[in-house]
Amino acid sequence: MSKKVCFLYKNPDYIVDGLRSALGLAVENNYAFGAVLGKMDKLDEHNMENLDWIRDMEGEVFSTLPENCEANGLTPLTIEELGQKLREMDFIVPYGTK
């Protein structure tokens, strides 16, 4: 049975790695989501493909910062909307905390 999993990315050093982890779960027939909570760099072409694959498998990557959405095509959402999304998840993974 497929599960809904949301990764929370705060540390910019682990966002790209975390996207690959979300993609891996999506490939394993789970619904994978990500939420970028901090500033991130522009994604290169390879990582943009990973983002597209997550979307192709009915997942999504959100950000609470408009500049991340503009630079990388992430879906914007507020903290309140993120809270609602997290209530829908089976698992929440704080990824790459230091």
Side-chain angles (χ1 to χ4, degrees):
M1 182 171 183
S2 297
K3 300 289 184 185
K4 288 184 177 182
V5 181
C6 185
F7 291 88
L8 301 177
Y9 311 118
K10 183 161 177 22
N11 188 324
D13 296 335
Y14 295 101
I15 292 171
V16 170
D17 186 50
L19 289 175
R20 284 193 304 268
S21 294
L23 179 57
L25 282 178
V27 168
E28 289 297 321
N29 203 27
N30 292 291
Y31 297 100
F33 301 90
V36 180
L37 305 174
K39 178 103 172 82
M40 69 183 287
D41 294 331
K42 175 108 174 90
L43 294 174
D44 61 20
E45 182 179 336
H46 174 74
N47 290 304
M48 285 301 290
E49 286 179 12
N50 289 345
L51 177 60
D52 290 337
W53 285 349
I54 291 170
R55 290 177 173 149
D56 287 345
M57 293 182 224
E58 300 181 40
E60 188 57 80
V61 180
F62 305 99
S63 182
T64 57
L65 298 176
E67 58 265 25
N68 291 339
C69 300
E70 292 168 14
N72 295 301
L74 305 182
T75 302
L77 87 163
T78 65
I79 290 291
E80 292 80 13
E81 292 168 330
L82 176 59
Q84 184 59 40
K85 287 277 184 204
L86 293 177
R87 288 180 189 90
E88 301 169 7
M89 299 297 142
D90 295 305
F91 297 100
I92 300 167
V93 181
Y95 195 90
T97 58
K98 282 190 178 181

